[in-house]
Amino acid sequence: MVKKKVIMSAESDGNDEKFTGGEELAIRMMISRNRMARQEAEGNREYVPFDVAVKWARKLKLWRTKEEWDDWIRQNKETFPYIPPDPEDYYKNRGVWLGWSFWTGESGDEEHS
């Protein structure tokens, strides 16, 4: 049996072959939600790491543009509190934002998805 290494850090090493989504995505989201609940209780809110958020966004395939995202997040912000309502601002401030086409998977850059 081959075991896959799960990267649990906020920083992606660029090798997304180690992260397959599915069960790993669910585990990483659960860990991130627990961490964020603690941070929020301490008044120090952060969201899931960029690589996890991108996988989540691409898996849902509910939007293709920033405008579609804005419409969707207005109605669903409370349902997904671990995803930043303005991912561009949040992740750009952390130096990892790669643009809306990358976020949605419309960039054609599928080796990162």
Side-chain angles (χ1 to χ4, degrees), residues 1 5 22 24 28 40 54 62-63 83 85 93 96 103 108:
M1 173 164 63
K5 179 179 177 186
E24 288 180 38
R28 291 182 74 185
E40 192 166 351
V54 167
L62 294 175
W63 45 83
I83 300 294
N93 287 335
V96 295
W103 176 260

Side-chain angles (χ1 to χ4, degrees), residues 4-91:
K4 284 193 165 220
K5 179 179 177 186
V6 178
I7 299 171
M8 299 306 286
S9 72
E11 300 294 322
S12 174
D13 67 356
N15 186 353
D16 284 338
E17 291 177 357
K18 296 176 187 172
F19 182 74
T20 60
E23 187 175 311
E24 288 180 38
L25 179 59
I27 291 169
R28 291 182 74 185
M29 292 298 271
M30 180 185 66
I31 291 168
S32 293
R33 280 192 297 249
N34 290 339
R35 184 187 75 238
M36 287 184 305
R38 284 192 314 272
Q39 290 169 344
E40 192 166 351
E42 296 167 357
N44 189 19
R45 177 60 179 258
E46 292 210 16
Y47 297 98
V48 297
F50 181 70
D51 62 328
V52 175
V54 167
K55 296 284 184 182
W56 173 85
R58 290 179 175 190
K59 189 169 184 87
L60 287 181
K61 298 179 185 180
L62 294 175
W63 45 83
R64 292 185 316 244
T65 65
K66 179 185 185 323
E67 292 74 24
E68 289 176 0
W69 167 264
D70 288 341
D71 290 342
W72 183 86
I73 199 65
R74 267 192 292 280
Q75 298 171 10
N76 296 284
K77 185 172 20 178
E78 299 303 318
T79 307
F80 298 98
Y82 42 88
I83 300 294
D86 185 353
E88 179 177 14
D89 181 60
Y90 182 79
Y91 293 116

